[in-house]
């Protein structure tokens, strides 16, 4: 009788490095496809360079078995009243690495990063159809705060009078 041994790959959560660019780009392109958004290489490259220099922005990557297969962004922003909030977005795990604790580890790292910044709260952008990600945030005492609606404007539509 043979016993199968489950290999335990190492999970590492760390800050983004330029060598991670292609892996993170692929993950973000996947999000763009999911939301039927455009993806601009030039803008993404510029954004990642700026994020590395911005002390109030954290870009985290998840390595599983030595391969980058997840990411999360942590940012600060002021609401219209001038109150500083943290924001976690773009938590994304490659399909082949889902269910291994990477999403939880990324959310924990992003939350810890933001909590050190004297913010009044943390917002999270979560796909309402992604029940697994919703549960990850709920287990960390995140609650539904507001609904955000969007619109894609028609550039050829007549201006309202």
């Amino acid at each position: 009788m043979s016993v199968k041994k489950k290999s335990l790959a190492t999970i590492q959560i760390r800050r983004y490095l330029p060598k991670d660019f292609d892996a993170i780009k692929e993950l973000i392109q996947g999000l763009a496809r999911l939301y039927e958004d455009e993806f601009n290489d030039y803008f993404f490259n510029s954004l990642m360079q700026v994020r590395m220099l911005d002390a109030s922005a954290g870009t985290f990557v998840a390595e599983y078995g030595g391969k980058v297969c997840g990411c999360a962004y942590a940012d600060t922003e002021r609401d219209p009243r001038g109150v500083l909030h943290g924001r976690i977005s773009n938590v994304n795990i490659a399909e082949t690495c889902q269910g291994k604790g990477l999403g939880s580890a990324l959310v924990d790292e992003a939350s810890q990063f933001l909590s050190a910044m004297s913010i009044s709260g943390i917002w999270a952008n979560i796909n309402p159809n992604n029940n697994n990600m919703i549960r990850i945030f709920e287990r960390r005492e995140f609650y539904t705060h507001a609904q955000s609606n969007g619109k894609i404007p028609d550039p050829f539509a007549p201006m309202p009078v």
Side-chain angles (χ1 to χ4, degrees):
M1 182 154 113
S2 66
V3 177
K4 278 189 171 180
K5 288 188 177 181
K6 191 175 181 181
S7 65
L8 298 175
T10 305
I11 295 173
Q12 181 184 11
I13 306 299
R14 59 172 175 75
R15 296 296 291 261
Y16 168 85
L17 297 170
K19 70 178 183 168
D20 304 321
F21 180 82
D22 290 334
I24 300 306
K25 176 180 167 182
E26 187 175 321
L27 288 167
I28 299 301
Q29 283 175 321
L31 281 179
R33 281 190 299 275
L34 177 68
Y35 293 108
E36 298 178 5
D37 287 336
E38 293 179 31
F39 183 88
N40 182 296
D41 280 314
Y42 176 79
F43 177 75
F44 183 72
N45 185 35
S46 299
L47 173 72
M48 295 310 288
Q49 288 178 29
V50 169
R51 290 187 68 78
M52 287 189 61
L53 300 173
D54 184 353
S56 68
T59 306
F60 300 97
V61 299
E63 282 187 6
Y64 183 74
K67 180 183 175 199
V68 173
C69 55
C71 67
Y73 291 2
D75 300 280
T76 59
E77 69 181 39
R78 294 202 181 274
D79 70 14
R81 301 165 299 158
V83 178
L84 186 65
H85 294 273
R87 181 172 41 95
I88 299 173
S89 63
N90 296 335
V91 180
N92 193 4
I93 309 300
E95 227 174 286
T96 57
C97 295
Q98 291 178 4
K100 300 180 184 329
L102 299 172
S104 294
L106 282 165
V107 169
D108 289 343
E109 189 71 23
S111 294
Q112 191 173 24
F113 170 79
L114 292 168
S115 295
M117 293 194 181
S118 300
I119 56 174
S120 63
I122 301 173
W123 298 333
N125 293 342
I126 309 168
N127 180 338
N129 298 320
N130 188 335
N131 292 325
N132 292 332
M133 191 58 64
I134 290 169
R135 278 193 300 278
I136 286 171
F137 279 94
E138 287 176 342
R139 278 188 228 118
R140 285 147 184 83
E141 300 178 354
F142 281 75
Y143 56 91
T144 302
H145 175 72
Q147 178 177 336
S148 176
N149 296 327
K151 174 183 175 179
I152 299 172
D154 179 358
F156 303 108
M159 296 293 291
V161 282

